[in-house]
């Protein structure tokens, strides 16, 4: 037992509550988004375009990925672009197309919100709200989505440590929202050969440290469609609870992230491979 020095008053220090930790909750949290789930035996693949560009492109992609077993649809309506002159997304019009896609496919939708005004809008249309990598440490936004009762997909910032990711999730849980899905999407290393560096060891490490489910985004991590399949397979083998993969009917004509988007045909082939990998590690897709 430590003792205070004479003349120094000892104040009791209570350990911080870490709602995200396995010590706090040993049982794995299952994040349920309509019929899709993350964190149980089943792994779920979220697929769809980087950006919602128009109704036809969004619907065509969604129907194609659903036909081969995707469990959720993605698509950005508010896009966090590096340049202010790049396509910024269709905003509410894009959310309407996503809502139509949900009607047509029966699959839940995830899309990004970058500030509270967007959260209010996205909440009306989407089943899960994405907090993108660039906003992982936007603490007021984390508190905002923490007050919702809507699942949150929290992406790791490219310069964030595993501990910082867990503390970002802690902000959401501290407000009462326990439905948080973590996503490893590559961190910034020294090598520019890939867009980011996929930190695959973060997957089993996070599974040790937290009860929250963990998914991997091989599209943004690699920035190169030819590497998406191998890293998606590796992610499932490493214990990921799901994947988020960008798919576009014509990647070379995409308004964002063309180099990393799979065609529907390539995605279909990958899903066949992923079923084998999932089975090999005792999971089902
Ligand atoms: C996205 O998923 O649309 C996206 C922009 O990803 P990230 O925040 O990981 O860059
Ligand atoms: Mn993208």
């Amino acid at each position: 037992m430590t003792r205070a020095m004479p003349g120094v008053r000892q104040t009791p220090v209570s350990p911080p509550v870490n709602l995200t930790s396995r010590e706090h909750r040993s049982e794995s949290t299952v994040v349920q988004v309509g019929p899709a789930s993350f964190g149980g035996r089943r792994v779920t693949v979220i697929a769809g375009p980087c950006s919602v560009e128009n109704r036809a492109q969004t619907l065509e992609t969604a129907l194609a990925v659903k036909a081969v077993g995707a469990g959720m649809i993605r698509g950005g309506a508010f896009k966090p672009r590096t340049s202010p002159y790049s396509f910024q997304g269709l905003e509410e019009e894009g959310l309407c197309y996503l809502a139509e896609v949900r009607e047509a496919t029966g699959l839940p939708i995830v899309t990004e919100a970058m500030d509270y005004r967007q959260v209010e809008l996205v909440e009306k249309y989407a089943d899960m709200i994405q907090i993108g990598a660039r906003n992982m440490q936007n603490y007021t936004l984390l508190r905002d989505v923490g007050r919702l009762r809507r699942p949150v997909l929290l992406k790791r910032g490219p310069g964030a440590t595993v501990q910082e990711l867990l503390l970002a999730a802690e902000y959401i849980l501290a407000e009462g929202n326990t439905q948080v899905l973590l996503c490893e999407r590559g961190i910034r290393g020294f090598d520019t050969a890939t867009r980011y560096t996929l930190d695959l060891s973060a997957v089993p490490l996070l599974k040790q440290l937290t009860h929250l489910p963990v998914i991997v985004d091989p599209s943004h991590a690699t920035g190169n469609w030819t590497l998406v399949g191998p890293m998606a397979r590796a992610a499932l083998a490493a214990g990921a609870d799901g994947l988020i993969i960008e798919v576009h009917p014509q990647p070379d004509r995409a308004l964002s992230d063309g180099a990393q988007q799979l065609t529907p045909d390539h995605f279909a082939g990958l899903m066949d491979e992923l079923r084998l990998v999932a089975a090999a590690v005792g999971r089902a897709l």
Side-chain angles (χ1 to χ4, degrees), residues 50 74 79 195 220 246 256-257 260:
C50 177
R74 66 148 289 143
K79 295 302 301 175
R195 187 175 180 187
H220 290 93
E246 288 188 341
S256 58
D257 289 351
Q260 70 197 32

Side-chain angles (χ1 to χ4, degrees), residues 151-180:
V152 174
L153 168 53
L154 177 64
K155 300 189 87 173
R156 180 182 182 181
T161 64
V162 163
Q163 201 55 39
E164 286 163 345
L165 171 61
L166 289 172
L167 286 168
E170 190 76 21
Y171 269 86
I172 303 173
L173 268 68
E175 293 295 330
N177 189 349
T178 56
Q179 295 286 288
V180 178

Side-chain angles (χ1 to χ4, degrees), residues 1-284:
M1 203 175 112
T2 53
R3 268 164 206 262
M5 289 170 71
V8 175
R9 189 157 57 94
Q10 194 165 20
T11 43
V13 179
S14 47
V17 189
N18 276 119
L19 301 172
T20 57
S21 74
R22 275 271 179 209
E23 278 122 64
H24 177 74
R25 184 186 147 95
S26 57
E27 193 191 331
S28 293
T29 290
V30 176
V31 170
Q32 194 74 41
V33 194
S37 71
F38 301 86
R41 200 178 94 81
R42 192 162 279 281
V43 294
T44 297
V45 178
I46 306 170
C50 177
S51 296
V52 173
E53 299 172 4
N54 56 62
R55 177 187 280 118
Q57 164 252 9
T58 310
L59 198 57
E60 181 184 343
T61 312
L63 291 170
V65 299
K66 184 204 161 139
V68 294
M72 248 182 109
I73 305 295
R74 66 148 289 143
F78 296 101
K79 295 302 301 175
R81 302 306 300 280
T82 304
S83 164
Y85 310 117
S86 300
F87 175 62
Q88 302 284 307
L90 295 182
E91 304 182 349
E92 191 164 11
E93 183 189 346
L95 297 176
C96 291
Y97 297 150
L98 287 171
E100 283 184 37
V101 156
R102 186 195 13 229
E103 282 296 304
T105 60
L107 295 182
I109 303 297
V110 59
T111 195
E112 176 162 356
M114 292 183 287
D115 64 26
Y116 187 66
R117 273 175 306 164
Q118 295 176 6
V119 167
E120 287 184 306
L121 211 50
V122 164
E123 202 196 355
K124 288 193 208 148
Y125 295 91
D127 303 283
M128 179 157 72
I129 298 178
Q130 176 169 319
I131 299 299
R134 288 153 194 82
N135 269 315
M136 190 206 84
Q137 286 176 310
N138 182 339
Y139 299 118
T140 50
L141 185 59
L142 296 175
R143 285 200 195 278
D144 288 337
V145 295
R147 284 190 285 270
L148 306 178
R149 292 297 167 266
R150 182 69 51 102
V152 174
L153 168 53
L154 177 64
K155 300 189 87 173
R156 180 182 182 181
T161 64
V162 163
Q163 201 55 39
E164 286 163 345
L165 171 61
L166 289 172
L167 286 168
E170 190 76 21
Y171 269 86
I172 303 173
L173 268 68
E175 293 295 330
N177 189 349
T178 56
Q179 295 286 288
V180 178
L181 179 55
L182 304 176
C183 180
E184 162 60 36
R185 46 76 75 207
I187 52 177
R188 185 83 84 186
F190 59 84
D191 198 340
T192 53
T194 51
R195 187 175 180 187
Y196 295 95
T197 297
L198 181 62
D199 181 8
L200 209 47
S201 60
V203 175
L205 181 60
L206 282 165
K207 296 296 292 178
Q208 286 173 21
L209 297 174
T210 178
H211 53 85
L212 296 174
V214 180
I215 68 167
V216 168
D217 176 345
S219 306
H220 290 93
T222 61
N224 175 341
W225 74 269
T226 67
L227 304 177
V228 168
M231 296 324 285
R233 299 193 301 260
L236 287 196
D241 297 303
L243 295 161
I244 180 164
I245 296 176
E246 288 188 341
V247 180
H248 193 287
Q250 291 170 291
D252 53 342
R253 303 187 63 173
L255 297 182
S256 58
D257 289 351
Q260 70 197 32
Q261 302 204 59
L262 297 184
T263 62
D265 279 354
H266 281 134
F267 179 74
L270 175 59
M271 287 296 277
D272 287 339
E273 297 168 0
L274 293 177
R275 264 183 210 98
L276 300 175
V277 177
V281 293
R283 309 289 289 266

